Amino acid sequence: DVKVTQSSRYLVKRTGEKVFLECVQDMDHENMFWYRQDPGLGLRLIYFSYDVKMKEKGDIPEGYSVSREKKERFSLILESASTNQTSMYLCASSLGLAGKNEQFFGPGTRLTVL
Amino acid sequence: GENVEQHPSTLSVQEGDSAVIKCTYSDSASNYFPWYKQELGKRPQLIIDIRSNVGEKKDQRIAVTLNKTAKHFSLHITETQPEDSAVYFCAARGANNFNKFYFGSGTKLNVKP
């Protein structure tokens, strides 16, 4: 059973703070993703990674960066948090094999930036 | 890139009725279309998917249809039950990167007992 965990369920930060959101998966998946979920906007891809130290921008990368030093861990970094980054953040992972496409999601981190 | 539109944004049905959620996509090369269900306070989970070489797929009370010519696909839930109440997301896999998915904006389904 795939398990994707995120470091926090709820997080409150102040404008300008540096924020780290961490995601860990235990199924040796090659691909990992960070999404943000906002009402009426669905899931929007921020960044994804298909291998250790590899990353690609998604649709809304501005204001974010990522780090993948180990296969099981994918971190999302907000260098200087702003109020418009208040959102639900979802991490996901999937196998890197063609035909094995299911994305497994973490429980989410609800971030509030004051 | 791909653009996925999903309708309706909210849907309310009586228990036992059918529910249909529709999605359109823009990239004719997209070839894989999953549907995710997200119950309140929980993570999205895959419930059914369809590939572009198939027109319809069923799994008990849920089915998905795909019309490649019109570039739309739909989720059908029959004999709805209160536990079907959730937010449903459609998605399309990007043609240029088979690991990248584009999600619709979600449909909140409410099944009234």
Side-chain angles (χ1 to χ4, degrees), chain A residues 16-69:
Chain A
E17 280 192 84
K18 190 169 186 176
V19 182
F20 291 87
L21 302 182
E22 302 232 307
C23 175
V24 177
Q25 50 93 6
D26 67 357
M27 284 301 290
D28 203 35
H29 283 175
E30 287 79 12
N31 303 321
M32 296 189 75
F33 308 82
W34 275 106
Y35 295 91
R36 65 177 280 177
Q37 182 176 13
D38 300 288
L41 297 178
L43 300 172
R44 293 182 293 166
L45 182 64
I46 304 171
Y47 268 98
F48 68 104
S49 168
Y50 50 90
D51 202 351
V52 174
K53 297 190 185 296
M54 305 302 288
K55 61 185 180 184
E56 281 197 31
K57 292 180 180 179
D59 302 313
I60 52 166
E62 297 80 15
Y64 304 94
S65 62
V66 290
S67 172
R68 193 165 179 203
E69 297 296 318

Side-chain angles (χ1 to χ4, degrees), chain A residues 42-113:
Chain A
L43 300 172
R44 293 182 293 166
L45 182 64
I46 304 171
Y47 268 98
F48 68 104
S49 168
Y50 50 90
D51 202 351
V52 174
K53 297 190 185 296
M54 305 302 288
K55 61 185 180 184
E56 281 197 31
K57 292 180 180 179
D59 302 313
I60 52 166
E62 297 80 15
Y64 304 94
S65 62
V66 290
S67 172
R68 193 165 179 203
E69 297 296 318
K70 294 184 177 182
K71 191 174 185 180
E72 67 270 19
R73 190 180 297 269
F74 192 35
S75 301
L76 179 70
I77 304 155
L78 288 66
E79 294 288 342
S80 178
S82 63
T83 54
N84 63 11
Q85 292 178 309
T86 292
S87 186
M88 171 67 83
Y89 290 87
L90 287 167
C91 172
S93 71
S94 71
L95 280 170
L97 300 174
K100 300 289 185 183
N101 304 293
E102 182 178 357
Q103 294 199 359
F104 294 87
F105 286 86
T109 295
R110 185 165 294 281
L111 173 66
T112 301
V113 182

Side-chain angles (χ1 to χ4, degrees), chain A residues 101-102, chain B residues 30-34 46 49-52 91-93 101:
Chain A
N101 304 293
E102 182 178 357
Chain B
S30 291
N31 57 12
Y32 173 71
F33 307 92
L46 180 72
D49 55 15
I50 190 167
R51 300 184 187 278
S52 58
R93 182 174 63 188
F101 290 82

